[in-house]
Amino acid sequence: MSETVIKIENLSKRYIIGHETGAPYMTLRDTLTDVGKKLNPVRWLGKDTGDKSSKEEFWALKDINLEIKQGEKIGIIGRNGAGKSTLLKILSRITEPTTGKVQIKGRVASLLEVGTGFHPELSGRENIFLNGAILGMRKEEIKKKFDEIVDFSGVEKFLDTPVKRYSSGMYVRLAFAVAAHLEPEILLIDEVLAVGDAEFQKKCLGKMDDVAKQGRTVLFVSHNMDAIKGLCDNGILFFEGKVKLSGSILDVVDHYSLMFQSKKANLLHRYNIGSNFVEISDVKMEKVNIRYNHPIIIFVSTISKKTIVKATFTVTIKNENDNVVGLSYSFDCFELPKDLEKLLKIEIPPFNLAPGNYILNITIGEGNNEQGCKVYDGYFNILKFSIFGDWSKNGSLIGWRKSWGNIVINNMIISDLTR
Amino acid sequence: MSEFDIIIEPKKTIGHYWKELWQYRELFYFFAWRDFKVQYKQTAIGVLWAVLRPLLTMIVLTVIFGKVAKLPSSGVPYPILVFSAMLPWQLFASSFTHSSNSIVENANMISKIYFPRIIIPSSAILVSFVDFVISFSILVIMMLYYGFYPDIKFLLLPLFIILAVMTSYGIGLWFSALNVKYRDIRYVVPFAVQFGLYISPVGFSSDVIPEKWRLLYSLNPMVGVIDGFRWAVCGSVSELYVPGFSLSVLISFLILATGFLYFRKTERSFADVI
């Protein structure tokens, strides 16, 4: 079980980015002029001819060391350009590393894009065979699974139509269906779930779950945190070509989501009434993945230009559809002295919030419920979090409450952490 | 500790190259099948084009060289004289064109899926070979029509077919790999094919070349291929010029060997450059 199937040592990948020409590939003339430049005596005299800046190195991956065990489901997350796809490309041998070494045990199949290798002129039936072969399936294997593939794709009526006449949804469904029936020991998947309608996406996820359960090793790159959390046990967070964190998937997703929550993350989501008496200078949640019936904890830094005697926080919790599910304000008013940066911890005690994805909006103002409240600053749509429940072995939720869907947030506790 | 099947390191060939190629043999067939099918999709007369194209070219060449230029044919029906040279030339021209463009045309696949890259130009050759087989049957029909029966040398024909394939495969490997980096190749290829037709003995017999230039002329590997082909089909026309032929064969081998090595050397960076 715990046999290492992928061993990565000091892996780096460098790309040379050309800035001078718009063309991504060389022409013969470029090479000839390059030779000319090399022969140019001015360069030998050590004078800068100014063409050095035309090329820049870019390390898509830098000194990656990883060991992946058999049967592990690994979610790989990170921003665009963090090196996730490059890693999969090296593992699937599409591109070679600049330095380092990778050792792999077992048959690898990679699914970096759905529908690569489909030919628009060929019929659905023909494309199933062609695509299967390109992905590394044997003809016999495809024949055996043909009905299953067709069934999964749901395009049986159009099997003998050229795929160029397919709707884009049908196209993608057929393509995924072929890919989903690969049976390698190691499966590399890159962001392929962002296809088809919601129903089909669910079907794809289910299929991938099946694949994962068969004891295969899966490396899954995605920006869909729900899909990753559902599918993977462990995660790796990439940041600027390096492994920033690896560990249990919840921790990794937590860390990644929090990266976006820091203060300057996004000014667009700020709400700032001109007065600027008080400004929220930073806000961050303690955790993004919160266990059901555990407190929600937020850290807020504030700075005020005048002393505010009765400062108050308002917290609004919305679900993914932007509907408010809960709202609270601080009963305890507190004082914010002038020109002093304060770090405050807001704890919302457990209040039966059902498992799911939520957004937390927070505002700071002055006053109270009786006299009316003036809002000075707020953060909106940045603090995204999930509640997850405990699931029993047979897949049912443990410890649910009948008050779900009818939320009353009882209180908020504010404590001063300013040193 | 377990043994690993695949070891990926920079600038190193991953072992089992041939074994892997064998595992992917079906893909080779699938690509060829795809290209052959796609060629005639949504055409009114379909595969008939495979017959029509060489037939029309043959008629044009016969008219121009046989009737207008009145080149000697030593008793062999002129269409057969032309056709026996055009067959290897067509095989070469179409394999060369297809394989040179093959890698770039499949760029999307190259950058998203792994398989031994050499399958792509190789299957392009196979597609051209199918066209060749169709054209070859036209030659056989024509020979029956003119009542022209070849002698025992005809049995050596497969050797020359192999030589033709080798030559075009070698050049195809070179150009397909070069094309990834230098898109100039796209413009060079049609020109080379057009130009090559005139400097290869297709419309004429290489006997018309003065003796002192023959060896130099044979530097063009297609001279050996075409001469050999014509010699095997209609032997009475010309004796095989052995020194020139040997030179052509040698050059063919050289091109194939270096083409293969160059392809192997550059294929690792295809995905980054393409």
Side-chain angles (χ1 to χ4, degrees):
Chain A
M1 179 64 199
S2 59
E3 199 181 11
T4 301
V5 288
I6 303 177
K7 193 172 177 192
I8 302 171
E9 292 162 277
N10 302 319
L11 188 74
S12 300
K13 172 77 185 177
R14 179 187 56 202
Y15 284 103
I16 309 283
I17 326 166
H19 286 303
E20 198 175 38
T21 52
Y25 41 80
M26 304 266 285
T27 66
L28 215 53
R29 201 185 56 183
D30 295 341
T31 308
L32 293 179
T33 51
D34 273 4
V35 171
K37 278 172 189 166
K38 276 176 199 151
L39 295 174
N40 186 349
V42 178
R43 271 173 81 109
W44 295 345
L45 292 172
K47 283 183 189 158
D48 192 7
T49 47
D51 54 49
K52 266 187 181 167
S53 60
S54 66
K55 274 167 192 162
E56 194 186 308
E57 284 186 356
F58 170 72
W59 289 91
L61 287 176
K62 194 101 177 95
D63 290 327
I64 305 292
N65 287 287
L66 287 171
E67 262 192 46
I68 291 160
K69 304 258 189 275
Q70 195 205 327
E72 266 192 289
K73 320 308 173 228
I74 304 220
I76 299 177
I77 55 181
R79 289 186 209 180
N80 287 330
K84 309 173 302 265
S85 301
T86 308
L87 179 70
L88 291 203
K89 276 193 174 180
I90 291 175
L91 292 183
S92 51
R93 296 164 61 195
I94 291 165
T95 180
E96 68 165 357
T98 311
T99 64
K101 189 175 178 185
V102 180
Q103 287 163 289
I104 299 175
K105 192 176 192 310
R107 196 175 144 192
V108 180
S110 58
L111 190 50
L112 304 193
E113 193 180 87
V114 158
T116 320
F118 263 41
H119 199 290
E121 297 285 348
L122 296 176
S123 71
R125 183 190 304 277
E126 291 164 335
N127 266 311
I128 290 178
F129 280 95
L130 177 65
N131 198 234
I134 292 172
L135 292 172
M137 274 195 257
R138 309 300 283 281
K139 199 175 171 189
E140 285 309 307
E141 217 179 319
I142 307 168
K143 264 188 193 157
K144 222 169 63 197
K145 290 186 184 155
F146 187 82
D147 292 335
E148 229 178 296
I149 293 173
V150 174
D151 211 40
F152 189 83
S153 68
V155 297
E156 47 276 71
K157 265 194 212 161
F158 308 98
L159 263 190
D160 294 304
T161 315
V163 295
K164 65 177 174 183
R165 311 232 184 279
Y166 279 29
S167 76
S168 54
M170 281 158 62
Y171 186 93
V172 156
R173 268 155 54 189
L174 185 64
F176 189 88
V178 180
H181 289 80
L182 278 171
E183 281 185 348
E185 277 116 21
I186 299 168
L187 186 59
L188 314 174
I189 307 168
D190 191 356
E191 198 64 71
V192 288
L193 286 175
V195 298
D197 50 26
E199 192 198 347
F200 189 73
Q201 280 190 24
K202 225 178 250 175
K203 209 167 153 187
C204 294
L205 267 178
K207 181 75 197 174
M208 286 185 33
D209 213 26
D210 288 350
V211 171
K213 279 192 185 116
Q214 287 159 8
R216 295 173 211 288
T217 311
V218 181
L219 268 72
F220 180 37
V221 167
S222 181
H223 291 288
N224 182 342
M225 293 302 139
D226 287 333
I228 283 217
K229 277 190 283 181
L231 217 66
C232 306
D233 337 308
N234 294 320
I236 300 170
L237 172 61
F238 275 83
F239 184 71
E240 290 177 352
K242 291 182 183 140
V243 174
K244 189 158 189 207
L245 184 73
S246 78
S248 92
I249 190 68
L250 283 180
D251 289 345
V252 174
V253 170
D254 236 36
H255 192 95
Y256 178 62
S257 309
L258 287 171
M259 274 166 64
F260 290 107
Q261 287 194 359
S262 73
K263 51 181 169 183
K264 282 112 197 168
N266 208 331
L267 288 171
L268 277 177
H269 301 294
R270 285 289 294 283
Y271 164 86
N272 205 326
I273 289 179
S275 70
N276 279 338
F277 288 140
V278 184
E279 195 186 319
I280 299 177
S281 50
D282 196 4
V283 61
K284 201 167 193 173
M285 298 186 76
E286 182 205 40
K287 273 184 184 172
V288 177
N289 293 296
I290 300 163
R291 188 170 286 270
Y292 167 68
N293 246 1
H294 278 232
I296 297 169
I297 295 167
I298 314 149
F299 298 103
V300 183
S301 305
T302 62
I303 184 148
S304 54
K305 286 183 184 149
K306 66 165 195 180
T307 303
I308 293 170
V309 190
K310 287 180 172 179
T312 178
F313 278 114
T314 318
V315 163
T316 312
I317 292 170
K318 292 180 177 186
N319 65 14
E320 282 176 303
N321 302 324
D322 220 26
N323 295 323
V324 175
V325 294
L327 184 137
S328 183
Y329 53 88
S330 51
F331 286 94
D332 318 325
C333 293
F334 51 96
E335 190 180 302
L336 291 176
K338 189 180 177 222
D339 289 336
L340 191 70
E341 184 154 18
K342 281 233 168 212
L343 175 62
L344 300 160
K345 176 181 164 198
I346 301 177
E347 184 178 336
I348 303 170
F351 58 96
N352 285 344
L353 190 58
N357 295 322
Y358 299 93
I359 298 163
L360 190 146
N361 295 338
I362 184 163
T363 62
I364 189 166
E366 191 177 13
N368 62 29
N369 202 26
E370 280 77 41
Q371 293 154 9
C373 177
K374 237 192 273 171
V375 174
Y376 291 137
D377 196 3
Y379 268 67
F380 296 90
N381 299 327
I382 292 181
L383 306 176
K384 292 177 182 162
F385 68 97
S386 314
I387 301 284
F388 66 94
D390 289 323
W391 299 84
S392 73
K393 272 185 188 148
N394 61 28
S396 62
L397 198 61
I398 299 171
W400 57 281
R401 306 288 174 91
K402 53 186 172 182
S403 56
W404 274 357
N406 180 19
I407 301 295
V408 179
I409 304 176
N410 288 320
N411 200 0
M412 294 201 306
I413 305 150
I414 314 257
S415 42
D416 191 345
L417 300 177
T418 316
R419 273 176 292 172
Chain B
M1 197 68 227
S2 57
E3 283 170 45
F4 290 101
D5 303 321
I6 304 167
I7 295 167
I8 304 170
E9 275 178 295
K11 310 249 182 271
K12 248 194 202 162
T13 308
I14 293 139
H16 327 300
Y17 185 76
W18 299 103
K19 193 179 137 201
E20 193 178 61
L21 215 53
W22 177 247
Q23 280 167 353
Y24 273 94
R25 63 191 182 278
E26 281 182 352
L27 189 58
F28 168 68
Y29 153 78
F30 268 114
F31 276 142
W33 165 81
R34 174 196 71 176
D35 289 342
F36 189 76
K37 268 207 114 146
V38 166
Q39 232 176 352
Y40 303 111
K41 279 264 163 152
Q42 226 178 48
T43 54
I45 59 168
V47 187
L48 216 58
W49 277 114
V51 181
L52 216 57
R53 276 189 312 172
L55 204 64
L56 288 173
T57 321
M58 186 268 297
I59 291 169
V60 170
L61 286 179
T62 307
V63 169
I64 291 177
F65 289 106
K67 300 281 183 265
V68 181
K70 291 209 168 51
L71 292 170
S73 72
S74 330
V76 182
Y78 207 85
I80 292 180
L81 189 74
V82 170
F83 210 69
S84 63
M86 231 198 54
L87 274 182
W89 175 257
Q90 282 284 331
L91 174 61
F92 169 77
S94 108
S95 325
F96 173 47
T97 311
H98 283 141
S99 54
S100 295
N101 290 322
S102 59
I103 296 281
V104 172
E105 273 167 10
N106 291 294
N108 192 26
M109 246 185 272
I110 299 276
S111 58
K112 293 289 178 196
I113 302 174
Y114 174 78
F115 48 83
R117 305 312 191 195
I118 207 159
I119 290 178
I120 291 184
S122 311
S123 65
I125 302 273
L126 187 63
V127 177
S128 307
F129 193 76
V130 173
D131 282 335
F132 169 79
V133 169
I134 295 170
S135 305
F136 190 77
S137 46
I138 300 177
L139 176 72
V140 172
I141 292 167
M142 264 166 46
M143 286 165 86
L144 292 173
Y145 173 80
Y146 282 104
F148 181 83
Y149 300 107
D151 52 20
I152 190 84
K153 286 180 291 187
F154 196 71
L155 295 176
L156 286 174
L157 204 59
L159 280 180
F160 298 112
I161 296 175
I162 291 171
L163 190 63
V165 170
M166 257 175 46
T167 311
S168 29
Y169 190 39
I171 301 186
L173 285 178
W174 263 109
F175 276 57
S176 59
L178 281 169
N179 202 0
V180 172
K181 205 168 177 191
Y182 308 107
R183 295 295 150 91
D184 310 72
I185 297 300
R186 201 171 12 184
Y187 305 105
V188 172
V189 169
F191 176 73
V193 167
Q194 208 172 31
F195 187 63
L197 180 64
Y198 297 111
I199 59 164
S200 302
V202 178
F204 50 90
S205 151
S206 54
D207 291 336
V208 299
I209 306 292
E211 194 63 34
K212 55 177 176 175
W213 299 115
R214 278 284 303 264
L215 202 61
L216 189 70
Y217 186 56
S218 302
L219 279 175
N220 170 0
M222 282 314 285
V223 171
V225 172
I226 293 170
D227 277 353
F229 222 84
R230 193 176 263 153
W231 175 76
V233 175
C234 32
S236 57
V237 182
S238 55
E239 275 312 305
L240 200 60
Y241 174 61
V242 179
F245 180 74
S246 322
L247 183 63
S248 291
V249 172
L250 186 75
I251 289 179
S252 296
F253 268 103
L254 214 66
I255 292 174
L256 182 61
T258 53
F260 180 73
L261 290 177
Y262 182 73
F263 192 91
R264 287 294 310 276
K265 192 176 148 249
T266 50
E267 67 176 341
R268 285 187 289 260
S269 59
F270 277 177
D272 297 336
V273 183
I274 207 158

